[in-house]
Amino acid sequence: MARRRMPLWQSAPLWVLVTAAAVAVAALPRRLEVLLGRLIGRLMLLVAGGRRRITIENLGRCLPELSDAQRALLLRRNFEHFGILLFEMLHMFCPVPGHFRRYVQRISVLSGGALGHWKKAHAKGKGVIYAGNHVGNWEVVAAQGGLHGMDMMIVTRNLTPVWVHQAMERARLSVAVQAALPPKTLPTVLKALRKEMSVVFAMDQYAPPDAGGIKARFFGYRVDTLGAIALIARKTGAAVLPGSSYRDEAGLIHVFVDAEIELSGAAGDLEKSTQLIVDRTESYIRAHPEQWTWGHRRFKHVDWNDRLPAAAE
């Protein structure tokens, strides 16, 4: 699919605005950045009508055990998270060489056991597949892996306008993170695994059936889910590692990698293998629900009246 082009009269002023904002944000102390991010998030909550509606609907249907007051608090904290995330993402557009690398090192930490889990999986010599997600800051997760020598590659898409894509690519390369992009995503991923690299897939996004999506149980509903991780792991023998992140109250982002998900017992069944990965992903979201993308249309084409019984969840 060809990229949509933004007219120059729109793109150029946007580039100036984003670059200026990135330079300004780069000068902020982390504590002030977090505070301003929370305030921006509260403003976003007031004006983001459609996104707010989707978030409220998803929270109500996926977390019915919460009271109205608890969901209202979670809604506010979720938008505060995205306000902070906006500031964090702006650092990727700072034109100062090496800034994003230094920023990641300053605001985040890799958990103690993460490197050990990766080394054990990497030693198998088949490459590593990370089952990632959008809890916390996913760009920082990949960056921490790159900074610790994990030979990272993320599966992503082309962004528009072109200067946005180029800026994010430069930021990722500054922390030793490469990207697999359409239309050659699968060949790029397979080549990377043959080189024993670590490839990151986002396991919490909607994946239509015509793009390899299969049904999996997620927050009590059967939803279209990425089946590529289980399929590629079966084809290549790559180890599957689950990982995630969260931002604590002081603003420090904790990145962690857990032990390999053992798929051998379900190796011949893509649905069972995928469900094992989805269950882990859901556990990360439940641990830090205020830092997940509830406003994403993850539950497309779901029958909300067909919630699985509690015993099956």
Side-chain angles (χ1 to χ4, degrees):
M1 181 182 294
R3 295 191 193 188
R4 293 176 294 177
R5 293 186 178 274
M6 179 179 287
L8 182 61
W9 66 270
Q10 291 180 334
S11 182
L14 183 60
W15 176 83
V16 172
L17 178 63
V18 170
T19 303
V23 171
V25 167
L28 292 176
R30 179 58 170 168
R31 182 175 297 181
L32 181 57
E33 179 178 66
V34 171
L35 175 61
L36 292 176
R38 289 191 175 119
L39 293 176
I40 292 295
R42 294 190 185 190
L43 290 175
M44 292 165 56
L45 180 58
L46 296 176
V47 300
R51 196 63 60 184
R52 173 188 173 121
R53 176 182 54 79
I54 294 172
T55 301
I56 291 173
E57 290 175 353
N58 286 340
L59 288 175
R61 288 160 172 164
C62 295
L63 300 173
E65 67 276 13
L66 298 183
S67 67
D68 290 344
Q70 288 172 321
R71 277 195 293 272
L73 176 60
L74 182 53
L75 174 68
R76 176 174 62 78
R77 294 191 66 194
N78 188 232
F79 272 80
E80 289 177 349
H81 157 69
F82 280 103
I84 299 170
L85 187 64
L86 173 64
F87 277 73
E88 292 171 352
M89 290 298 192
L90 277 172
H91 286 269
M92 300 184 77
F93 296 89
C94 180
V96 178
H99 169 75
F100 184 64
R101 181 187 184 95
R102 293 188 295 271
Y103 177 68
V104 170
Q105 292 172 325
R106 178 163 60 89
I107 70 157
S108 63
V109 61
L110 187 67
S111 70
L115 202 54
H117 291 314
W118 174 80
K119 287 180 177 179
K120 184 177 180 179
H122 185 258
K124 295 183 175 182
K126 300 291 186 179
V128 174
I129 300 175
Y130 275 112
N133 56 63
H134 290 83
V135 180
N137 187 321
W138 48 94
E139 292 288 350
V140 169
V141 172
Q144 275 287 348
L147 291 173
H148 283 83
M150 296 185 190
D151 298 321
M152 301 294 287
M153 174 177 285
I154 62 170
V155 176
T156 185
R157 59 188 177 87
N158 293 299
L159 300 172
T160 54
V162 174
W163 61 263
V164 170
H165 182 88
Q166 292 173 339
M168 296 191 74
E169 185 174 48
R170 283 194 299 270
R172 289 166 179 158
L173 289 175
S174 76
V175 290
V177 176
Q178 301 179 46
L181 299 164
K184 298 182 179 180
T185 300
L186 183 57
T188 303
V189 166
L190 294 177
K191 183 178 180 180
L193 292 175
R194 286 195 294 270
K195 292 181 177 180
E196 300 182 24
M197 294 180 67
S198 303
V199 181
V200 185
F201 286 85
M203 198 61 194
D204 56 349
Q205 300 285 278
Y206 173 76
D210 60 2
I214 62 176
K215 294 290 185 183
R217 187 181 64 252
F218 186 61
F219 281 94
Y221 299 93
R222 289 183 60 78
V223 298
D224 294 321
T225 301
L226 182 70
I229 291 182
L231 181 63
I232 295 173
R234 184 174 69 177
K235 179 180 178 65
T236 65
V240 177
L241 291 182
S244 191
S245 71
Y246 68 92
R247 185 189 309 101
D248 66 24
E249 288 300 312
L252 182 66
I253 297 175
H254 299 260
V255 176
F256 58 92
V257 177
D258 286 332
E260 178 183 355
I261 298 178
E262 182 55 64
L263 300 180
S264 60
D269 191 321
L270 289 180
E271 287 195 5
K272 288 183 179 179
S273 297
T274 299
Q275 190 63 60
L276 289 173
I277 302 169
V278 172
D279 288 345
R280 186 65 63 86
T281 302
E282 182 176 329
S283 73
Y284 294 147
I285 297 169
R286 286 186 178 276
H288 298 280
E290 76 286 355
Q291 295 182 35
W292 188 58
T293 53
W294 291 103
H296 167 60
R297 295 189 64 196
R298 176 66 182 90
F299 300 90
K300 293 179 183 177
H301 313 303
V302 167
D303 181 357
W304 292 111
N305 295 315
D306 190 25
R307 184 174 175 86
L308 298 174
E313 294 182 19

